[in-house]
């Protein structure tokens, strides 16, 4: 079996650095977490949630899957959203996609990788829903970037339509759903033109964001 001692060694170095800077850091965190943010992002190794926004352990609740997809029947994702909203009472849900996403590319190109093709059907649904706008774009590069953006916008809509978020808004809980996209080339996050804070702004903001991405 491959020896992973180098990773354990890095862990010890990291833990020491953290306690040198703040001796009670882990003791405090071990007693409770109270993150303000839920991050729903891609599993891509280059888009590590806490690191790119400079947050420490304890500051962000995280769910990641291939191509940052939020499916209405995905119990895993729904459980994360429910716990984050109803127990941790996060104030922000950030759906973060990224340009150059392999999952989005596979969906766009109809590539075959096995079981995962079924998961990526959800991204293909986004592609088909926006086929006219995507077809009208000048080239494949533009189509790829735009589908990465549209996928985030659709997943923001899916989050907003969950019973969990709908119920939170109904009882007046402060909760915003944001759509962001990350550039692998420059390490920068960009806000897509979509931030939904209540049911009444859902449709208009969705339509505006879609229009802005084309
Ligand atoms: Co990706």
């Amino acid at each position: 079996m491959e020896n992973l001692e180098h990773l354990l060694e890095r862990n010890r170095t990291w833990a020491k650095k953290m306690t040198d800077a703040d001796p009670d850091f882990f003791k405090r965190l071990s007693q409770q977490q109270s993150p303000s943010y839920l991050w729903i992002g891609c599993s891509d190794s280059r888009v590590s949630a806490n690191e790119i926004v400079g947050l420490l352990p304890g500051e962000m609740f995280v769910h990641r899957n291939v191509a940052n997809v939020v499916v209405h029947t995905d119990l895993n994702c729904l459980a994360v959203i429910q716990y984050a909203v109803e127990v941790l009472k996060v104030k922000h849900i950030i759906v973060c996609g990224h340009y150059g996403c392999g999952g989005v590319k596979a969906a766009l190109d109809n590539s075959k990788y096995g079981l995962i093709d079924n998961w990526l059907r959800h991204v293909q649904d986004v592609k088909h829903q926006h086929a006219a706008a995507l077809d009208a774009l000048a080239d494949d590069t533009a189509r790829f970037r735009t589908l990465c953006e549209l996928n985030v916008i659709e997943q923001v809509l899916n989050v907003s339509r969950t019973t969990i978020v709908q119920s939170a808004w109904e009882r007046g809980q402060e909760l915003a759903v944001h759509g962001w996209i990350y550039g692998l080339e420059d390490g920068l996050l960009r806000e897509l033109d979509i931030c939904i804070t209540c049911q009444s702004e859902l449709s208009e903001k969705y339509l505006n964001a879609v229009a802005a991405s084309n």
Side-chain angles (χ1 to χ4, degrees), residues 11-26:
N11 165 254
R12 288 188 288 269
T13 305
W14 171 78
K16 181 174 184 311
K17 190 184 82 181
M18 299 299 285
T19 42
D20 284 351
D22 178 355
D24 291 331
F25 182 74
F26 292 111

Side-chain angles (χ1 to χ4, degrees), residues 152-205:
V152 171
I153 294 164
E154 291 296 333
Q155 308 315 325
V156 166
L157 190 69
N158 288 345
V159 170
S160 303
R161 283 175 168 166
T162 58
T163 55
I164 304 148
V165 171
Q166 299 263 311
S167 301
W169 284 338
E170 273 168 29
R171 60 178 179 264
Q173 186 174 335
E174 186 190 337
L175 181 64
V177 186
H178 308 257
W180 288 3
I181 194 150
Y182 176 76
L184 295 174
E185 318 82 5
D186 58 12
L188 293 176
L189 287 162
R190 292 153 185 83
E191 284 182 292
L192 293 175
D193 194 15
I194 190 160
C195 169
I196 302 170
T197 60
C198 62
Q199 176 62 27
S200 61
E201 53 188 38
L202 187 57
S203 298
E204 190 187 345
K205 288 201 171 178

